[in-house]
């Protein structure tokens, strides 16, 4: 998992107007440009909103403390794998749905969860580099938002089990509950912003 990831909220209606075979290239080129939110590249509350009108159909979220690496997301999923058995049934089901929709490989060891809604990109062969891909349209985003709202009240209850069961391992970026919770809440911020706008979420290795 030695790759970086850029996480975007994207105007799905605007993306749909791009010919399907061009969408992946257009999204990758628009994700990073010469100007960012306020013209000097500052990140405001985790968000970078491009100032250029031609890039106003997306926003980029920077997860604090990750340096853009996908490793913390992998380790957060690993942490959930270790503690999910201690969560109450409703909380476990809700966090299962939320994390499986974004970064977790799911409860079935022989089948990895898919985080890509069909029909958006006809092919991923044009990726700048290989790695995890997340493509969630507005309908899926709304479901993920509902899952988070159901899971959020029970997140704090994982503090004790996380400390006992998900200790640091060599190379681990998410060492404790606070780091785990911060990253999960970052995803909730992404999903919440996309849902509020009626947009989708795209994560690409860059």
């Amino acid at each position: 998992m030695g790759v970086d990831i850029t996480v975007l909220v994207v105007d799905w209606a605007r993306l749909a107007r791009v010919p399907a075979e061009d969408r992946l290239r257009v999204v990758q080129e628009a994700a990073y440009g010469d100007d960012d939110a306020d013209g000097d590249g500052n990140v405001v509350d985790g968000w970078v909103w491009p100032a250029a009108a031609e890039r106003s159909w997306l926003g980029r979220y920077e997860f604090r403390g990750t340096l853009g690496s996908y490793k913390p997301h992998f380790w957060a999923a690993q942490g959930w794998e270790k503690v999910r058995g201690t969560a109450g049934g409703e909380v476990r089901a809700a966090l299962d749905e939320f994390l499986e929709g974004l970064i977790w490989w799911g409860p079935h060891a022989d089948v990895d969860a898919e985080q890509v809604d069909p029909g958006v990109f006809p092919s991923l062969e044009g990726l700048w580099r290989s790695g995890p891909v997340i493509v969630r349209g507005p309908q899926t985003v709304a479901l993920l938002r509902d899952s988070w709202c159901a899971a959020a009240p029970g997140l704090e209850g994982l503090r004790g089990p996380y400390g006992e069961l998900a200790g640091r391992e060599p190379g681990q970026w998410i060492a404790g509950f606070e780091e785990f919770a911060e990253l999960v809440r970052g995803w909730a911020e992404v999903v919440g912003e996309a849902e509020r706008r009626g947009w989708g979420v795209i994560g690409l290795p860059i």
Side-chain angles (χ1 to χ4, degrees):
M1 289 299 165
V3 300
D4 294 342
I5 187 170
T6 186
V7 175
L8 311 165
V9 293
V10 177
D11 183 337
W12 230 238
R14 167 67 174 77
L15 183 63
R17 294 198 293 271
V18 177
E21 64 273 16
D22 296 332
R23 287 175 191 160
L24 184 58
R25 174 184 57 80
V26 168
V27 170
Q28 290 181 124
E29 291 176 353
Y32 286 91
D34 294 333
D35 66 318
D36 283 322
D38 54 5
D40 63 6
N42 286 343
V43 180
V44 180
D45 295 330
W47 289 102
V48 178
W49 297 102
E54 65 270 18
R55 297 171 60 221
S56 63
W57 51 279
L58 56 79
R60 189 172 81 243
Y61 187 76
E62 304 281 359
F63 287 84
R64 193 167 75 86
T66 67
L67 303 177
S69 173
Y70 189 76
K71 286 183 179 179
H73 305 274
F74 169 80
W75 283 109
Q78 192 90 317
W80 173 239
E81 182 84 12
K82 292 179 178 179
V83 303
R84 63 184 294 268
T86 70
E90 292 184 4
V91 173
R92 181 169 62 250
L95 264 180
D96 272 356
E97 291 174 358
F98 183 71
L99 295 176
E100 186 176 1
L102 296 166
I103 60 172
W104 181 46
W105 41 88
H108 305 295
D110 56 338
V111 181
D112 284 344
E114 285 284 335
Q115 281 96 28
V116 177
D117 287 346
V120 181
F121 300 124
S123 172
L124 294 174
E125 292 182 359
L127 284 173
W128 289 353
R129 40 181 319 193
S130 62
V133 176
I134 301 163
V135 182
R136 294 309 202 185
Q139 289 185 325
T140 303
V141 164
L143 294 174
L144 291 171
R145 174 64 175 166
D146 289 344
S147 296
W148 170 249
C149 289
L155 186 64
E156 184 64 26
L158 297 174
R159 180 181 295 276
Y162 203 97
E164 295 174 6
L165 301 173
R168 180 177 290 278
E169 298 179 22
Q172 184 170 340
W173 285 47
I174 301 294
F177 174 78
E178 292 294 345
E179 293 165 301
F180 169 79
E182 181 176 51
L183 190 135
V184 171
R185 289 183 178 119
W187 277 110
E189 170 72 15
V190 171
V191 168
E193 182 66 23
E195 195 273 338
R196 184 180 69 81
R197 293 170 176 261
W199 288 11
V201 172
I202 294 178
L204 296 174
I206 287 184

